Amino acid sequence: MTALLTLSARNLMRRHDDRLVVNDVSLELRHGEVLGLLGHNGAGKSTTLQMLTGALPPHSGQIEVCGFDLKQQPQQAKSCIGFLPEHPPLYRDMRVDDYLLYVARLHRVPSGKLAAALNQAKQRCGLHDCGKKLVGTLSKGYQQRVGIAQAIIHNPAVVVLDEPTVGLDPAQIRDIRALIRELGNSSSVILSTHMLNEVESLCDRVLILKQGRLIYSGSSAEMLGNGNMEEAFMQITENKAASA
Amino acid sequence: MILTIAKKEFRSLFAAPSTWWMLALLQFLFAWFYFGRMDDYLQVQAQLAQLDNAPGATISIAAPLCSVLALMLMMLIPLFTMRLIAEERRNQTWVLLLAAPVPAAHIVLGKFLGLMLLLVLIVMGAAALLATLLLGTHADIGLMLADILGVLLLAATYAALGLYFSALSKQPLVAAAGALGLSFGLWLLELGASDNRSYLRAISPNAHFQNLNMGLVNSADLAYFALVIATLLWLTIRQLNDERDRAA
């Protein structure tokens, strides 16, 4: 079974000063797939995700989203993506409803469908009681939820989440994971995380980055093998370090 | 898309308590100057009345007030423009606009328009005060309108300048200081110009404002403002596009 390709990136390269932060990374994402991006701190996960969403231009390489080239047709490509960056881009002085509606308008949700989109996003992220509250007065966990809500309010084909469950309490983590699973059915999701059990329970496929290079790509079941995720992860990253 | 961003910026500017303080202070200072000029005028009115072709109340009160307003706006506008782009970068909300399907031109025009709405409101507040002259005298409405147009065009120029500096910097204060420095420099150019035909005067927005300030609506001045504003906005758009494309 080959589902529709929603996102493909080829030979992405990004330098910071003289250091290669992302080095020749290629990846593909199909409809209905949840892809986990793993790696130590500073491995280039966030940079890769930013490039996939058009927030950061790659020095070289090509990105296609839903068949649109991100460089040639940025507006069409970007309207297929929802992005939660590492730091949720929240305006602290706006009310949750106003903020989400603003984001929906930026993503060209037609005005007749705004109210429905707002309600669905709030309901999916457990924000129904927070509409009138100022974003800045919410707790970190709720701000993270607003961040996720802004990424999915326009029902994008590709959802990119940079550490979506960081700073959440266990009950919230459970809810957000359920949401990601739900999103995985209707669209495709890429998420970066440090929590290996999250990968185990959510992701169909796993990519591991180390010092900007892609060192592993396979299904999470393969990676898990017979052992546990943590061991497998350590083994892969250590082995590559030894052979490098 | 431009209007969506403009509305959001306008509301955000209004949500900040500092904006209200600035508005209140501005209106207070303006009223203070207004009564000061009025007082001066009333004291010399009797002597003025003996002159042929004596200056009227409008040119003696409204025109100087509008120059004062122009100067105050020059100092205030960088404080607003620094929030528009530089502060978004610092607060890491800029990525929202970068990842959204919005061309840089829409972002820039939206932000410029949002700020202009606020500035129009400020100028209207001042205009309402000037309109009280109509209660006591036959004011020269044409002169007043030219004055208001001049202040608006000058404010738009400073706003476009501030926006450009905001796009250049990641630090709001640097953006504000840069814009204020250049605005002030341009203002000084006019003071430093030796004669009316000096090219220094041709560059300075303040010199072009002064014609309008005296009630002279000159197409050359209007063209100057339109050109400067359009160029600065274009530079800002280019700067943002460069940043997106240039992978530096």
Side-chain angles (χ1 to χ4, degrees):
Chain A
M1 177 203 84
T2 43
L4 199 67
L5 199 65
T6 48
L7 185 142
S8 80
R10 281 187 292 280
N11 313 104
L12 292 185
M13 197 91 88
R14 173 90 200 173
R15 283 184 300 274
H16 190 274
D17 297 327
D18 285 335
R19 201 167 55 89
L20 273 170
V21 187
V22 174
N23 186 359
D24 201 22
V25 169
S26 301
L27 57 89
E28 281 186 349
L29 184 68
R30 294 186 180 279
H31 180 79
E33 196 174 36
V34 180
L35 182 68
L37 199 58
L38 298 182
H40 295 297
N41 288 326
K45 301 186 298 288
S46 292
T47 311
T48 306
L49 295 184
Q50 282 182 31
M51 288 195 287
L52 294 179
T53 57
L56 193 72
H59 281 106
S60 68
Q62 200 188 8
I63 301 166
E64 257 181 38
V65 189
C66 300
F68 299 111
D69 187 293
L70 192 58
K71 203 172 162 74
Q72 308 299 332
Q73 298 162 289
Q75 307 328 327
Q76 288 95 326
K78 284 177 185 177
S79 57
C80 302
I81 300 186
F83 180 35
L84 169 73
E86 203 174 355
H87 303 275
L90 305 175
Y91 296 105
R92 301 176 58 83
D93 53 5
M94 284 177 98
R95 291 179 200 285
V96 173
D97 278 353
D98 294 338
Y99 171 71
L100 291 176
L101 286 173
Y102 173 59
V103 178
R105 287 196 189 97
L106 283 183
H107 282 94
R108 300 172 196 277
V109 175
S111 50
K113 294 183 179 161
L114 280 174
L118 175 70
N119 278 333
Q120 193 195 19
K122 281 203 297 184
Q123 183 244 326
R124 281 173 134 182
C125 300
L127 289 165
H128 16 259
D129 301 331
C130 306
K132 297 274 173 278
K133 287 186 183 157
L134 287 176
V135 174
T137 62
L138 296 175
S139 68
K140 185 166 179 346
Y142 271 90
Q143 290 190 1
Q144 187 73 13
R145 288 179 185 219
V146 177
I148 298 174
Q150 65 81 23
I152 61 172
I153 192 161
H154 53 295
N155 268 323
V158 180
V159 183
V160 180
L161 305 169
D162 199 348
E163 302 194 18
T165 50
V166 76
L168 301 181
D169 69 38
Q172 290 172 332
I173 289 181
R174 193 192 55 208
D175 294 347
I176 294 302
R177 284 186 187 164
L179 171 65
I180 294 173
R181 238 173 264 130
E182 188 192 320
L183 289 173
N185 294 329
S186 54
S187 40
S188 9
V189 182
I190 300 190
L191 63 104
S192 80
T193 179
H194 285 295
M195 286 190 251
L196 294 166
N197 57 348
E198 196 160 280
V199 177
E200 192 179 333
S201 66
L202 286 177
C203 300
D204 305 307
R205 266 194 317 128
V206 181
L207 301 177
I208 300 180
L209 283 174
K210 186 178 172 90
Q211 292 169 350
R213 282 185 170 279
L214 200 59
I215 57 166
Y216 179 84
S217 165
S219 74
S220 53
E222 270 170 40
M223 180 176 161
L224 192 58
N226 304 324
N228 73 35
M229 211 68 177
E230 201 169 330
E231 268 173 28
F233 176 73
M234 293 313 286
Q235 207 177 0
I236 291 167
T237 50
E238 299 300 319
N239 276 350
K240 294 286 171 175
S243 64
Chain B
M1 205 52 66
I2 297 176
L3 285 182
T4 304
I5 296 178
K7 253 190 261 169
K8 187 255 157 196
E9 289 306 331
F10 182 66
R11 287 175 73 169
S12 285
L13 283 168
F14 253 90
S18 57
T19 307
W20 288 90
W21 277 110
M22 283 191 228
L23 286 180
L25 188 70
L26 205 62
Q27 196 69 9
F28 174 76
L29 285 176
F30 198 66
W32 190 274
F33 279 113
Y34 177 71
F35 286 118
R37 289 300 307 189
M38 179 81 91
D39 209 32
D40 291 349
Y41 179 73
L42 289 178
Q43 278 182 14
V44 294
Q45 194 193 16
Q47 288 141 312
L48 285 178
Q50 291 162 12
L51 297 174
D52 292 338
N53 207 0
T58 319
I59 197 135
S60 311
I61 298 173
L65 275 174
C66 283
S67 336
V68 168
L69 180 64
L71 193 64
M72 290 198 279
L73 285 176
M74 180 187 87
M75 292 187 267
L76 272 183
I77 287 173
L79 296 179
F80 292 123
T81 53
M82 74 174 186
R83 305 192 50 196
L84 295 179
I85 298 177
E87 195 166 277
E88 284 222 43
R89 286 212 183 101
R90 198 190 53 181
N91 292 346
Q92 298 180 313
T93 49
W94 188 237
V95 65
L96 181 73
L97 289 169
L98 287 182
V102 187
H106 289 204
I107 299 178
V108 171
L109 292 177
K111 285 179 176 280
F112 177 71
L113 214 66
L115 177 58
M116 278 317 291
L117 279 177
L118 177 72
L119 294 176
V120 166
L121 210 69
I122 291 178
V123 174
M124 286 305 132
L129 202 59
L130 291 182
T132 55
L133 276 180
L134 293 171
L135 298 176
T137 174
H138 291 291
D140 181 346
I141 293 179
L143 175 61
M144 269 194 205
L145 290 178
D147 257 321
I148 289 166
L149 176 70
V151 172
L152 281 175
L153 286 172
L154 197 63
T157 309
Y158 291 139
L161 186 77
L163 200 58
Y164 180 53
F165 272 87
S166 203
L168 287 178
S169 169
K170 277 194 176 68
Q171 296 297 328
L173 277 178
V174 175
L180 181 60
L182 191 57
S183 309
F184 197 62
L186 286 170
W187 184 70
L188 286 180
L189 272 188
E190 195 267 326
L191 290 185
S194 48
D195 60 275
N196 270 352
R197 306 197 62 79
S198 160
Y199 66 92
L200 289 179
R201 272 187 69 90
I203 302 174
S204 172
N206 203 41
H208 295 273
F209 165 69
Q210 280 183 356
N211 287 340
L212 287 158
N213 194 218
M214 291 184 302
L216 185 64
V217 182
N218 195 331
S219 56
D221 296 325
L222 299 184
Y224 166 86
F225 281 116
L227 271 176
V228 170
I229 293 165
T231 308
L232 285 167
L233 290 177
W234 175 73
L235 280 174
T236 313
I237 294 167
R238 243 189 71 128
Q239 170 67 22
L240 295 185
N241 274 332
D242 271 6
E243 236 165 70
R244 280 182 175 188
D245 296 337
R246 173 174 32 105

